[in-house]
Amino acid sequence: MHVADLDDLRGAAHDRAVLAEARVVLARRLGVAPGEALQHLIWLARDLDIDLAEAASLLVKDGVGGPVGAVLAGRRAPRAEGATAERQDVLSEAEDVLRRVTAEDTAGDAEIRAGVGEDPVARALLDGTIDSCVHLVPVRDAGGEVADFIYADVNRVTRDMFGRGKEELTGLRLLQTDPGAALSGLFNEYVKVLEGGTPLERDSISYTTAQRGLSRSSRMSVRCVRVPTGVCVTWRYHSAEDRVARRMERVERLALIGFGEWDLATGEADWTPQMLANYGLTPEEVPPMPHDLPKAVADDDLPLMEEAIQTMFSRREPVEAEHRVIGPDGTARHLWVFAEPVLGESGLPISINIVSQDITRRRGVERALAETRRQMLKQQARTAQERKVAVTLRRAILPDEDEVEQLAGLVMAVRSLAAESTARIGGDWFATRAMADGRALFAIGDAAGHGLPAAAAMARTRNGLLGLACTGEPAGRLVGWLNELVGNMDPPATGTAIVAHYDPSRRVLEWTCAGHPPPILVRGGKAMPLEVVRDPMLGAMPGWQYTTITTELHPGDLLFLYTDGLVERRDADLDERILDLTGILRDSSERPDRVLDEVLARMEHDRAADDTTLFAVRVE
């Protein structure tokens, strides 16, 4: 795997790690789940007009402080209705009933049903009711006691809890199809109606039955009357009404919305459980009337609520307001309240409808987000200042291109291009120096990273090399010392470099490569990268002995050095890019300055992604 590919992987992994850490930091600040924190982070990035990775980096740099005002939801997912143990008890009892009644002989049931004559009363009930209605005839045991009932007839709208109707039920026994009749005691009630004649009427009872391992429950209203041949049972399930009520209860619980109604004529108040909870009241406590409501709010919000109630009664129009309720522990609960008067024929209010929503968590998240945004803006300003310093430092350290020192026996040209994005300004550097012994030193390098740390590492690396060069030691020794210098920087740093000595009297180049892209030699219409000993980058391996490579040069040779900003692209292979560069150099001009211009024009490098430094040297 190439260095560029590794850098891409490191960059992607770094961004993911920073984003993951930022999610945790923001979740802790806001008191929300990491998934919700990620959504808030995306909104913060949009609000600040920066990309998500930069927003995450700002948040992580700002520290890992705890919550700044938000509260956790403090709610758990509800359990399914009907506990498992209770359902198992129902099923067990139902199975006992089914085993008993299934053991009974039903061979004579068809004869019993056939023996039922015309029953005009039963027929009138079946045809006249709009609810489920069945005609039941008794089945008696040897002692004359009623053991069960047979469905003699069923009207067209009948549906039991398992959706069975006329075709499925007619001719079957009651207890075999609906053991819940025995479990609930309704079967015995039907027998009493049959024998005593007194009608049975039950409103809104809880009813549970079972069949084939499944249980069903619902509220129901049931009525049973005696007819000449048996009894007629009429029922209605309230499952639809219950479903609506459950949905309303879930809406109130999930959104923390409560509803209340004040009857101004009777002075009574009817509040839902969530409405009571929003105001910190128990179900046993009496809700306050409209004029007493301000007494329940925080002192600072009292004028606001008094004004809202006065407006509602005087202008007779709906109002809405936000206020706080102080709990017994001194914590404030934020409520958003909607209220409207209901007017009578005289135009005066006769009742008040009120809705409250607990928005404490939302207000806490908003406060925490506002504080987080303020801190991110401060961090963004600090980062911008660091980038400005990095740009200034780079300009101060690196000489202008037309001020580059010309060395004996060489014609040189340099292009040092800072990244167009100040956030991507890195640690590219170059250096030249005429040695006292007549040799020429030139070098190119790249301190890892971006921003002020990279610019600082660049300055210390370049200045350190120029200081070490005064010793006159070979390039390998200089780079070895430079490696120790970079490795002991605070904060720790790494980087790449090529350091070379050129002896014009012998036309010999003695050079060392520390993890840097190889130089390209152009000679006689041919171009090829020089063979390098792949020594490690600076700061990576303390105590490493770097190799000094010796290369003989000829008059007219052109040596091209560059940093990775010229050849690295996320969508291209590094070797292919170096091969493209080699082809461009093979066909390029002999003048170093024109070579640099042609390379920049044809390589299509990304100025925004990284710094780029080019160094062309022609041997005279």
Side-chain angles (χ1 to χ4, degrees):
M1 184 175 289
H2 299 297
V3 174
D5 298 327
L6 287 172
D7 286 343
D8 286 348
L9 287 175
R10 281 196 295 266
H14 176 268
D15 288 348
R16 287 195 295 270
V18 171
L19 182 59
E21 185 177 355
R23 288 176 60 187
V24 174
V25 170
L26 192 57
R28 183 163 52 246
R29 282 172 172 265
L30 305 184
V32 300
E36 184 179 347
L38 177 60
Q39 181 63 72
H40 287 301
L41 181 59
I42 292 172
W43 289 337
L44 281 170
R46 292 176 183 173
D47 184 38
L48 298 176
D49 195 22
I50 56 179
D51 60 38
L52 185 59
E54 185 176 356
S57 179
L58 288 173
L59 190 63
V60 171
K61 285 181 181 179
D62 189 50
V64 291
V68 292
V71 294
L72 293 170
R75 290 178 284 172
R76 295 182 179 179
R79 303 290 296 179
E81 294 181 1
T84 302
E86 295 176 358
R87 288 182 178 274
Q88 289 299 325
D89 291 343
V90 170
L91 288 173
S92 178
E93 293 179 20
E95 288 170 357
D96 291 341
V97 174
L98 289 173
R99 278 193 294 269
R100 175 173 58 81
V101 298
T102 303
E104 297 177 359
D105 183 12
T106 60
D109 287 3
E111 183 180 350
I112 294 175
R113 181 167 175 261
V116 177
E118 278 295 322
D119 191 333
V121 178
R123 173 51 51 193
L125 289 172
L126 290 171
D127 293 341
T129 184
I130 61 174
D131 295 321
S132 297
C133 184
V134 296
H135 176 201
L136 302 177
V137 295
V139 178
R140 300 183 182 272
D141 57 20
E145 299 293 331
V146 177
D148 207 336
F149 288 95
I150 297 174
Y151 291 98
D153 202 358
V154 179
N155 73 354
R156 290 291 178 184
V157 299
T158 292
R159 287 293 182 272
D160 71 357
M161 281 192 170
F162 294 94
R164 295 170 296 189
K166 181 178 178 67
E167 291 76 13
E168 294 87 355
L169 296 177
T170 302
L172 299 180
R173 290 196 177 190
L174 172 65
L175 296 181
Q176 290 181 353
T177 59
D178 187 5
L183 300 179
S184 63
L186 285 179
F187 175 79
N188 294 331
E189 298 287 345
Y190 299 160
V191 173
K192 290 180 181 180
V193 172
L194 176 70
E195 295 176 344
T198 302
L200 167 71
E201 189 167 352
R202 296 284 187 271
D203 290 327
S204 190
I205 64 172
S206 295
Y207 189 76
T208 301
T209 189
Q211 193 71 216
R212 296 181 180 179
L214 296 175
S215 66
R216 294 286 187 271
S217 299
S218 175
R219 285 188 311 111
M220 68 178 295
S221 298
V222 60
R223 189 167 184 265
C224 179
V225 296
R226 187 171 67 180
V227 296
T229 56
V231 296
C232 277
V233 178
T234 304
W235 73 86
R236 175 185 296 177
Y237 296 123
H238 300 299
S239 55
E241 297 93 324
D242 291 345
R243 189 178 303 113
V244 172
R246 285 196 301 271
R247 287 174 178 173
M248 291 301 298
E249 184 274 331
R250 290 167 184 167
V251 168
E252 288 194 1
R253 177 176 53 80
L254 285 171
L256 300 179
I257 293 177
F259 175 79
E261 184 177 9
W262 285 303
D263 188 327
L264 300 180
T266 63
E268 296 178 350
D270 183 14
W271 282 16
T272 63
Q274 187 61 52
M275 185 71 172
L276 292 169
N278 284 352
Y279 279 90
L281 303 176
T282 64
E284 293 76 24
E285 294 183 86
V286 178
M289 290 301 288
H291 292 292
D292 294 328
L293 188 62
K295 298 178 182 178
V297 308
D299 293 341
D300 292 344
D301 299 335
L302 183 58
L304 177 65
M305 286 304 297
E306 290 177 340
E307 174 67 21
I309 292 175
Q310 180 63 30
T311 299
M312 182 173 58
F313 279 100
S314 61
R315 297 185 181 180
R316 301 167 192 175
E317 61 185 29
V319 295
E320 59 181 274
E322 179 181 348
H323 69 81
R324 292 164 298 162
V325 175
I326 307 301
D329 58 354
T331 59
R333 183 184 300 110
H334 293 253
L335 301 182
W336 191 268
V337 177
F338 306 82
E340 65 173 4
V342 179
L343 306 181
E345 294 182 358
S346 63
L348 297 177
I350 59 173
S351 65
I352 301 292
N353 296 326
I354 182 172
V355 174
S356 71
Q357 183 177 19
D358 188 337
I359 57 172
T360 306
R361 180 173 178 273
R362 184 191 309 168
R363 288 293 178 260
V365 170
E366 289 172 354
R367 288 196 306 272
L369 277 173
E371 176 62 18
T372 300
R373 182 180 183 277
R374 185 187 67 80
Q375 294 174 359
M376 289 178 67
L377 285 171
K378 290 176 61 178
Q379 180 61 43
Q380 191 176 29
R382 288 195 297 267
T383 302
Q385 182 64 28
E386 289 180 0
R387 292 171 182 168
K388 183 178 179 180
V389 172
V391 173
T392 303
L393 180 60
R394 187 179 189 278
R395 291 173 179 171
I397 295 297
L398 298 179
D400 292 338
E401 297 168 4
D402 55 357
E403 297 176 353
V404 174
E405 181 181 5
Q406 293 298 320
L407 305 177
L410 300 174
V411 178
M412 307 176 61
V414 177
R415 297 284 188 276
S416 184
L417 309 175
E420 291 178 347
S421 170
T422 56
R424 303 298 296 176
I425 289 179
D428 278 17
W429 58 271
F430 64 91
T432 60
R433 171 160 292 183
M435 306 296 294
D437 58 7
R439 292 181 301 164
L441 178 141
F442 57 88
I444 189 171
D446 183 6
H450 298 91
L452 185 57
M458 174 271 292
R460 297 167 73 179
T461 302
R462 181 180 183 275
N463 292 340
L465 173 64
L466 292 176
L468 293 169
C470 297
T471 64
E473 293 292 328
R477 179 71 63 84
L478 294 180
V479 174
W481 290 338
L482 195 61
N483 177 52
E484 298 302 318
L485 173 66
V486 172
N488 287 286
M489 287 183 182
D490 185 19
T494 56
T496 64
I498 290 178
V499 177
H501 283 125
Y502 175 67
D503 186 347
S505 63
R506 297 183 297 136
R507 292 194 178 92
V508 171
L509 185 73
E510 296 176 329
W511 59 286
T512 297
C513 178
H516 201 83
I520 298 175
L521 176 64
V522 182
R523 174 184 293 169
K526 297 180 180 179
M528 66 181 64
L530 292 179
E531 292 290 334
V532 298
V533 177
R534 294 193 175 275
D535 286 330
M537 64 193 310
L538 300 173
M541 299 289 291
W544 188 268
Q545 300 297 317
Y546 285 83
T547 305
T548 299
I549 306 168
T550 301
T551 303
E552 292 186 3
L553 298 178
H554 300 165
D557 284 354
L558 186 137
L559 195 63
F560 186 84
L561 298 89
Y562 54 96
T563 57
D564 55 10
L566 179 65
V567 292
E568 286 188 356
R569 289 184 60 171
R570 294 187 182 274
D571 58 350
D573 180 75
L574 179 61
D575 285 343
E576 292 179 358
R577 293 280 292 171
I578 294 177
L579 186 61
D580 292 342
L581 173 61
T582 304
I584 293 172
L585 290 171
R586 183 181 58 244
D587 302 327
S588 65
S589 170
E590 294 182 357
R591 289 181 51 181
D593 55 343
R594 290 184 179 177
V595 170
L596 301 184
D597 293 336
E598 292 172 9
V599 168
L600 289 173
R602 297 176 59 184
M603 278 298 289
E604 299 178 353
H605 71 292
D606 187 359
R607 282 283 308 271
D610 201 357
D611 294 349
T612 302
T613 300
L614 313 181
F615 205 135
V617 179
R618 184 170 61 83
V619 179
E620 292 185 324

